[in-house]
Amino acid sequence: MTENTTNDAFLGGKVHALQPKKGFRSGIDAVLMAASVPAKAGETVLEIGCGVGVASLCLDARVTGLQMTGVELQPEYADLAEQNAATAGAAMQVVCADLRNLPAGLRQQQFNHVMMNPPYYDRAQGHASQNAGRDVALAGDTPLSDWLDIGVRRLAPKGTLTIIQHITRLPEVLAALTGRLGSVILRPIAAHSHAAPGLFLLQAIHSGRAPFHMSAPLIMHGDLIKKGDAESYTPQVKAILRDGASFPIRDPH
């Protein structure tokens, strides 16, 4: 750790990650996404836009024996991801590259699972942040359709694509996946039971044929405790964030 980084704990201390003090910092979104990937021991996972590797490391903490690859555009974040993976003893290769110009070897690989947390905002809407690292993470210059196209191309048959994204971009995601992946499951995420969803998790399967399914929203906070209070998380969310519980996107109902 340096004066420019912090060492942050996730999953109740099961995962630690160096992150920049200033710039984009992984948080709850990465943990929720990792909890939703239905990986099994021995399978391969690709995270596109891995940042400092938090999502991959949370998945690795829950499922042993994975072979993981992370792609990250920004060298300083890729370097931290490599350090974090080494500290955790995770079998994770970090590739510093533009997702639109992946190394030839990676373009030949297919993965059982691909996960991504693309920028939430469209560059056409303006800069998201004055900090360069945060701006790339929140807006960036790569269209969301390119993220999804590359994710689909890297999937092995019957593999899953998992994405967490801002609710306003749901139409773009569905349009980009139509005719390419099937068995789409959508799980909205809302801060409170009376609030409109702000984010969503979506999972789709290569060659899947099941009909579209929308699960009940994941409610982050109870309604009687003020927003921002760590103890206001619902029991389900606490289990995911603190204990590393899995979170299937398809609800049991």
Side-chain angles (χ1 to χ4, degrees):
M1 187 171 69
T2 70
E3 62 180 11
N4 297 318
T5 61
T6 59
N7 192 353
D8 301 305
F10 299 86
L11 304 186
K14 296 181 180 68
V15 171
H16 287 83
L18 296 174
Q19 300 200 83
K21 285 183 178 179
K22 297 181 180 179
F24 179 76
R25 294 169 56 81
S26 293
I28 292 172
D29 298 1
V31 180
L32 292 176
M33 178 174 69
S36 301
V37 177
K40 299 177 181 178
E43 292 186 327
T44 56
V45 181
L46 172 65
E47 182 182 3
I48 301 177
C50 69
V52 302
V54 170
S56 289
L57 296 181
C58 286
L59 178 56
D60 183 70
R62 180 170 61 85
V63 184
T64 59
L66 297 176
Q67 295 294 318
M68 298 181 299
T69 301
V71 175
E72 173 53 41
L73 173 65
Q74 302 184 80
E76 59 272 31
Y77 288 80
D79 288 345
L80 289 173
E82 286 188 332
Q83 293 180 53
N84 291 332
T87 299
M92 180 179 180
Q93 176 190 16
V94 180
V95 178
C96 186
D98 188 319
L99 62 90
R100 295 169 294 184
N101 188 27
L102 296 176
L106 187 53
R107 292 200 303 270
Q108 301 304 313
Q109 291 181 253
Q110 290 185 314
F111 297 83
N112 300 117
H113 306 280
V114 175
M115 61 178 175
M116 63 178 72
N117 181 7
Y120 285 169
Y121 304 103
D122 190 332
R123 170 60 69 205
Q125 298 175 355
H127 292 276
S129 173
Q130 295 301 312
N131 179 278
R134 184 172 172 79
D135 182 69
V136 169
L138 292 179
D141 296 310
T142 304
L144 181 56
S145 58
D146 285 356
W147 283 74
L148 294 163
D149 176 66
I150 289 154
V152 170
R153 290 176 184 273
R154 298 280 62 80
L155 270 184
K158 300 300 181 181
T160 67
L161 173 71
T162 302
I163 177 173
I164 189 167
Q165 184 55 238
H166 196 273
I167 196 71
T168 57
R169 308 201 77 178
L170 177 58
E172 292 178 72
V173 173
L174 292 175
L177 297 182
T178 298
R180 303 192 67 186
L181 297 181
S183 303
V184 175
I185 307 170
L186 175 67
R187 171 86 76 157
I189 302 171
H192 299 275
S193 61
H194 58 273
L199 301 174
F200 67 88
L201 277 159
L202 182 144
Q203 198 163 80
I205 300 176
H206 187 297
S207 305
R209 296 185 178 182
F212 175 85
H213 175 83
M214 178 179 287
S215 296
L218 173 67
I219 305 301
M220 296 294 296
H221 298 276
D223 294 328
L224 300 180
I225 305 177
K226 64 182 181 180
K227 183 179 179 181
D229 184 344
E231 296 307 312
S232 73
Y233 289 127
T234 61
Q236 182 179 27
V237 172
K238 282 184 184 179
I240 297 167
L241 300 183
R242 306 282 187 256
D243 304 326
S246 64
F247 176 57
I249 295 180
R250 176 182 283 274
D251 56 23
H253 304 295

